[in-house]
Amino acid sequence: MEEKKISVKKILLRFLCFILVTILMLVIFLFCVMRVVCKGPSQTAAELFVRSVRETSAIGFLADIFFTDEEIAAMEASSNTVIEETDTSLITVSTPSGESSDQPFTDAWGHTDADGDGLIYEVIHGSTYTGYMLIVLDPSRVKLGCFPNTGKGYTVQEFVEMNDAVAGINGGGFADENGQGDGSMPDTAYVHDGTVYYGSLGVGRGFIGIDDNYILHVGLDSLDAVEENHIVEGTGFGPVLVVNGEMADEESLLSGLNPRTAIGQRSDGAILLLVIDGRQTNSLGASYTDLAEIMVKYGAVNACNLDGGSSTLMWFNGQYVNNCASVIGIRTIPTSFIVLKKGAADNG
């Protein structure tokens, strides 16, 4: 019996050693792969690696292993592009035929609202990503989901359900040191129902907001500009992807591949809500340029990047339609762009 116990212990010890050696070999392999990418002949691959990990709170330190602060700063440098003021004359908001009945409706871009609910949902594919687009035909249905001064964050699902809405995406950023933020504190001001919250935090890299005529503005550079443009729903983030029908300057769109979230608006006023899966074997993620190209393809006159990475999620038809990239589960966040039920905006 004693010999049998010793034999079992030996087997368990050998198995444990095997697991540890396997993990060690995997770590060494991944380190070697990253070193080849970072120190290999391709500067483009190195810059893509740096931008991808530096856009992530939890693993941004990986860039520090292979590059100096000066090298990282040079790779992340982008042009100080001056964003044009949003030309509101390019947007004509009108109630689309699909919003006045429950009948199927095909818009001017060839996208069909088959059930007449005023929403068009499509899956899109690129060379490095899978994404999900929700077209909201009536822009008055899009609001900022938020619960100011509660001292906690909420999931996209909670923002949708607690506002009796039908869809939503994540919104602005939040304090997230080492990827452990709880979403309770935004990192910029935001506006809901015309009221500014956390104004002392400013607008960050730029403000995205919907005015009292349901027109989306991008790249507002101050809270004064937010007030002057009568923004009633919005938050800070960036960069701007499309402004007045043109893609933003190429250098301002330099980025890595990551999960992404973006919002845009077509010339007919329809709001475009986009999420991109990332950090998966079948969907590495998208760059800012990818987002801009998608938005232009879907007719966006103006569009802007929102918080991404592990926060990127879209809730629609009672479920998350994309895959959460967070290893710790669904993130709680301070804001979300939500879509009200058909007719709810008028009743409100």
Side-chain angles (χ1 to χ4, degrees), residues 17-31:
C17 289
F18 171 77
I19 295 297
L20 292 175
V21 170
T22 301
I23 292 174
L24 179 61
M25 291 178 65
L26 180 60
V27 170
I28 293 173
F29 172 75
L30 292 175
F31 178 85

Side-chain angles (χ1 to χ4, degrees), residues 116-315:
D117 66 350
L119 304 175
I120 301 172
Y121 169 76
E122 296 184 353
V123 180
I124 56 180
H125 298 280
S127 59
T128 62
Y129 63 82
T130 296
Y132 309 86
M133 175 69 79
L134 185 65
I135 305 172
V136 186
L137 298 177
D138 179 3
S140 71
R141 294 174 62 180
V142 178
K143 302 288 184 181
L144 191 77
C146 62
F147 298 103
N149 305 316
T150 58
K152 61 174 293 188
Y154 298 82
T155 65
V156 174
Q157 176 184 354
E158 288 173 329
F159 279 120
V160 172
E161 293 180 343
M162 293 171 72
N163 284 282
D164 196 27
V166 295
I169 59 173
N170 59 294
F174 54 96
D176 191 27
E177 186 175 358
N178 299 320
Q180 300 298 313
D182 61 4
S184 61
M185 177 57 64
D187 58 8
T188 71
Y190 60 76
V191 179
H192 175 57
D193 283 341
T195 299
V196 176
Y197 297 94
Y198 300 98
S200 62
L201 298 177
V203 297
R205 288 179 287 177
F207 202 89
I208 317 103
I210 300 172
D211 69 19
D212 51 7
N213 289 314
Y214 309 115
I215 294 177
L216 180 72
H217 296 247
V218 295
L220 297 172
D221 60 5
S222 68
L223 287 177
D224 286 340
V226 169
E227 181 179 357
E228 291 165 4
N229 286 280
H230 307 287
I231 301 301
V232 293
E233 308 286 341
T235 184
F237 214 74
V240 171
L241 304 170
V242 183
V243 59
N244 298 332
E246 300 290 334
M247 282 180 55
D249 181 87
E250 183 178 342
E251 289 190 17
S252 71
L253 296 179
L254 291 174
S255 69
L257 301 178
N258 272 304
R260 304 287 185 190
T261 305
I263 185 171
Q265 185 173 44
R266 301 188 315 199
S267 59
D268 64 346
I271 296 291
L272 307 173
L273 303 178
L274 172 67
V275 295
I276 301 289
D277 272 337
R279 302 173 191 165
Q280 302 166 36
T281 56
N282 62 341
S283 183
L284 296 177
S287 66
Y288 294 148
T289 299
D290 291 328
L291 292 186
E293 290 175 346
I294 294 168
M295 284 295 186
V296 168
K297 179 181 177 181
Y298 272 82
V301 174
N302 297 296
C304 192
N305 178 64
L306 297 172
D307 191 15
S310 59
S311 297
T312 288
L313 281 172
M314 176 185 288
W315 180 268

